[in-house]
Amino acid sequence: MLVLSRKAGEGITLDQDVTIDILSIDGDRVRIGIQAPKDMRIFRKELLEGTIDTNRAAANAPAVSLSEAE
Amino acid sequence: MLIETRFGTSETDKNKIISFKAGLPGFEDLHKFIIIEANNTRPIYWLQSIENKHIALPVIITFAVLSDYNINIRENELEDLKVDSKNDLLILNVVVIPEDMKKMTVNLAAPIVINAKRGIGKQILIDAAELPIRYPIYEAIMESLKKGGEEDAGAVTESR
């Protein structure tokens, strides 16, 4: 993993078409601005991790019978 | 063709196979699935891997259960799925069924978008406050069961 140290007001660009700006830092919270092409989905990492978790948990479903669930 | 599923051997039509180029998050190495119905589990269907018979994800056709479910699918995503008409789209969401079924949840943030005509699918991640990863769905499923017959497939959504 590439590790960079940045200050508020500084930024990073990825492949020239994605820009990540460090807008402000307040204690343990960092505000980040991202500019990217419109067709690129941007989401918090927890969303991918949560979806990996739920997909895997879903595959472990017990055999269910909904008609008997009532 | 005959395939092995979680529920036993099943006969399926080759053109019902749905290809997921990128797999699914958590199952990146599985690329081919079919949608099957199991006894007594409607309106829950199963997205069954044809490469690993043990992997079948319970899914719902969300629009049939939550009529106000609304997502934005982008033009480039429709292009990736080679969608000619939005009528060909099928939107599924993955259901987690714990031992206590009343606690079942659905991942509304990660719809599985399928071009049913061409058999191409992708699970899309949408970061939006109104789309929880674990949304309680038991009540809504029971409601839809009470209403009886559930509409089949074919769910259309808006694109921007």
Side-chain angles (χ1 to χ4, degrees):
Chain A
M1 183 178 3
L2 172 67
V3 179
L4 298 171
S5 193
R6 303 272 65 195
K7 293 176 182 167
E10 296 180 337
I12 299 164
T13 68
L14 310 180
D15 233 6
Q16 296 187 32
D17 52 1
V18 178
T19 305
I20 300 169
D21 292 311
I22 309 302
L23 302 177
S24 63
I25 302 167
D26 179 16
D28 62 355
R29 282 183 90 79
V30 180
R31 281 178 68 79
I32 295 171
I34 301 166
Q35 285 182 54
K38 223 165 58 171
D39 61 2
M40 204 176 271
R41 290 253 184 210
I42 297 168
F43 41 82
R44 281 163 286 194
K45 192 177 166 187
E46 303 93 279
L47 177 50
L48 176 59
E49 292 167 343
T51 296
I52 290 171
D53 284 352
T54 53
N55 279 354
R56 287 188 178 149
N60 289 324
V64 289
S65 176
L66 292 175
S67 54
E68 291 163 16
E70 281 290 272
Chain B
M1 62 183 282
L2 285 177
I3 57 156
E4 294 293 324
T5 77
R6 177 189 157 156
F7 305 97
T9 306
S10 175
E11 169 71 32
T12 191
D13 200 327
K14 214 163 132 190
N15 58 30
K16 289 204 171 142
I17 295 173
I18 304 157
S19 295
F20 291 80
K21 199 169 140 195
L24 298 172
F27 299 104
E28 290 79 3
D29 54 344
L30 298 179
H31 302 283
K32 292 191 184 304
F33 290 82
I34 55 162
I35 298 167
I36 57 174
E37 276 187 60
N39 281 339
N40 298 326
T41 74
R42 283 182 77 174
I44 293 177
Y45 298 83
W46 300 79
L47 191 63
Q48 169 72 53
S49 165
I50 61 169
E51 294 153 317
N52 181 342
K53 70 173 182 179
H54 301 293
I55 303 299
L57 278 64
V59 292
I60 53 172
I61 299 169
T62 315
F63 296 99
V65 180
L66 296 174
S67 54
D68 58 350
Y69 183 59
N70 186 31
I71 53 169
N72 253 327
I73 302 172
R74 297 179 174 175
E75 281 303 324
N76 63 296
E77 290 165 338
L78 294 174
E79 282 165 24
D80 288 349
L81 296 171
K82 299 186 167 61
V83 173
D84 307 314
S85 160
K86 284 178 196 156
N87 293 325
D88 300 333
L89 283 178
L90 174 63
I91 314 285
L92 306 174
N93 289 71
V94 175
V95 179
V96 176
I97 309 173
E99 285 296 333
D100 179 0
M101 254 199 290
K102 289 187 170 150
K103 294 189 174 143
M104 71 169 75
T105 60
V106 63
N107 183 350
L108 295 181
I112 295 176
V113 183
I114 293 168
N115 178 346
K117 192 168 142 199
R118 292 184 188 243
I120 308 172
K122 185 179 184 188
Q123 191 166 20
I124 290 174
L125 304 185
I126 306 175
D127 199 336
E130 71 278 13
L131 300 177
I133 295 176
R134 293 178 184 85
Y135 181 81
I137 194 68
Y138 181 80
E139 295 293 334
I141 284 179
M142 286 302 133
E143 275 305 307
S144 104
L145 267 180
K146 262 182 219 155
K147 279 184 206 147
E150 180 212 345
E151 298 307 314
D152 199 22
V156 186
T157 183
E158 280 180 76
S159 113
R160 61 163 194 182

